[in-house]
Amino acid sequence: MMQTGTKTLLRSIPSMDELLNADWAPEFLGALGREQVKSVIAGVLDGLRREILDGEPPTAPAASIAAERAVTLLRAKSSSTLKPVVNATGVVLHTNLGRAPLAGEALEAAGAVSGTYSTLEYSPEKGGRETRNAHVEWALCRLTGAEAALVVNNNAAAVLLALSAVARGREVIVSAGELVEIGDSFRIPEILSFSGAELRVAGCTNSTRIEDYRAAITENTAVLLKVHPSNYRIEGFVRAPSRKELAELAASRGLILMEDLGSGLLCPLAAAFARKEHQVMDSIRAGCGIVTFSGDKLLGGPQIGVIAGTKPLLDRMKRHQLLRALRVDKMTLAAFDATLRLYLSGREREIPVVRMIETDKAVLLEKARKLSRILKRVAAASGAAGITVSVVETEDAAGGGTFPADTLPGYGVSLRSASGGGGAEALAAALRAAPVPVIAAIRDDSVVLHTRALLEGDEKRIASALEGCLDRVMV
Ligand SMILES: *Cc1c(COP(=O)(O)O)cnc(C)c1O
């Protein structure tokens, strides 16, 4: 039996028409269309009805609660959730924040072919079809020393296509120490099984000798696969054969040596820690027949996967049916081509990722001091006396599965609220809620804004985010 109170409450829920005719509605009707607005409002009204029936009466008049919820949801739906943010985490290649910000010339190139027809798969000289890969192959060969190269959607796709083309129905030998999982969706054993190849594990987690590889070879083996330990380090007693030893073994048995490098380093980096990361060219020179790497890690370009190697092997991949499903679109290809051209012309320091990793401490200290001055002014002007702004040392990172054990020394600005206890969480959340969200780190109950990965104009964006939220958070 429904109680009279419940009935009254249910009757107090506004109708769809009342809400559609509210003075806030036209803005959303214009942005989203009537059907979408109706479906959002219907969800709100349903929710209210259910709460009342479950014995949770609204804490304010149902009409105003319904309007408030509908406006909040509709406002959120009215603009894209994919939008720029300020990366104040100090992690240069932050996968969740879109990895590599592109160089200006890469952006222009993507724009230039997007709103118009282009030579994507067309040669004006031939007056006919050309492959889309042809736009970047020569530059990739020059920069890696490989005979041939092919681009696909990302590095996971590169590994999948390479193995599908050369190892389907055959065995692939991988060291036990290199059965990598990257992110939560790229696992070497699974990619191998998708490609139709069979995994044979050689050696132990921390130690694999060339004899272990040799012992694992059978007549059905096609590939020795080396995988870059991108997001972990094995410390202590570690042993692995050199690429040269592996290449010799592969050659003597008619096998292919393939390396999944992950990050595609195309130029030497000055930063001391980066010397451990070897370049794509080193793998090719050492005798790898196939090398795969990402376009949007250390290379600093758009999301793309590169396969570089010998011509006969690459020819098999270029003919493979899977390529059609993994191919790159024109905006990505244009941005990638422009990024490669920066390397060719020796202007790789214009690539944001390269520049950020190479920025030294002294420059970051200057940046942090300047940001600190700006934020002190903002805090003072808002009368939020309870907030302390100071320059602090930071530990930054290359990220994106490169140099997992190495931090980059940097500087940032710490925001500490006098109220202590959880104040940092609230402030960090408020900064994230700004129109251009500011993503910061939290350390010792302070918000820390790392300067390493800040881009042009980010200081102003941080200042306005702080300004907008100081009066809203407890300081
Ligand atoms: C990052 C990485 C991948 C995956 O590359 P995506 O471009 O993210 O698909 C695969 N292998 C290694 C070793 C990596 O570091």
Side-chain angles (χ1 to χ4, degrees), residues 291-327:
V291 176
T292 57
F293 55 94
S294 290
D296 59 347
K297 288 186 178 171
L298 283 179
L299 195 153
Q303 179 193 303
I304 214 168
V306 180
I307 312 171
T310 64
K311 190 167 179 309
L313 292 174
L314 267 290
D315 281 344
R316 282 160 79 178
M317 298 170 207
K318 288 174 184 174
R319 285 194 304 265
H320 200 282
Q321 287 291 310
L322 198 51
L323 178 59
R324 174 59 192 252
L326 306 176
R327 74 183 186 187

Side-chain angles (χ1 to χ4, degrees), residues 255-378:
L255 306 176
I256 299 160
L257 175 61
M258 167 170 164
E259 181 167 13
D260 175 18
L261 264 177
S263 222
L265 189 56
L266 293 184
C267 66
L269 290 178
F273 69 93
R275 285 184 211 125
K276 285 184 244 164
E277 193 82 4
H278 80 177
Q279 295 177 52
V280 178
M281 192 168 270
D282 301 331
S283 292
I284 297 287
R285 280 205 190 117
C288 291
I290 303 172
V291 176
T292 57
F293 55 94
S294 290
D296 59 347
K297 288 186 178 171
L298 283 179
L299 195 153
Q303 179 193 303
I304 214 168
V306 180
I307 312 171
T310 64
K311 190 167 179 309
L313 292 174
L314 267 290
D315 281 344
R316 282 160 79 178
M317 298 170 207
K318 288 174 184 174
R319 285 194 304 265
H320 200 282
Q321 287 291 310
L322 198 51
L323 178 59
R324 174 59 192 252
L326 306 176
R327 74 183 186 187
V328 173
D329 86 293
K330 61 187 172 192
M331 290 179 268
T332 305
L333 200 57
F336 188 59
D337 180 39
T339 307
L340 294 180
R341 284 174 193 286
L342 290 172
Y343 282 99
L344 288 176
S345 60
R347 291 186 294 142
E348 60 267 7
R349 295 295 178 283
E350 292 175 30
I351 297 170
V353 167
V354 175
R355 196 176 55 229
M356 286 170 181
I357 288 176
E358 296 282 59
T359 309
D360 69 37
K361 260 186 106 173
V363 174
L364 295 175
L365 177 58
E366 261 328 293
K367 267 184 139 178
R369 285 188 175 139
K370 185 170 163 222
L371 180 61
S372 158
R373 280 195 298 274
I374 296 171
L375 299 186
K376 274 181 178 156
R377 273 202 298 276
V378 170

Side-chain angles (χ1 to χ4, degrees), residues 99 154-156 182 186 227-228 230 260-263 294 296-297:
R99 285 200 190 154
N154 58 17
N155 188 36
I182 291 164
F186 182 89
V227 184
H228 187 272
S230 290
D260 175 18
L261 264 177
S263 222
S294 290
D296 59 347
K297 288 186 178 171

Side-chain angles (χ1 to χ4, degrees), residues 8-36:
T8 314
L9 281 172
L10 285 175
R11 267 198 300 272
S12 73
I13 295 177
S15 71
M16 173 69 74
D17 279 344
E18 278 171 67
L19 293 175
L20 283 174
N21 290 320
D23 55 0
W24 46 260
E27 176 194 341
F28 302 121
L29 290 167
L32 294 168
R34 193 172 177 83
E35 287 313 308
Q36 283 61 251

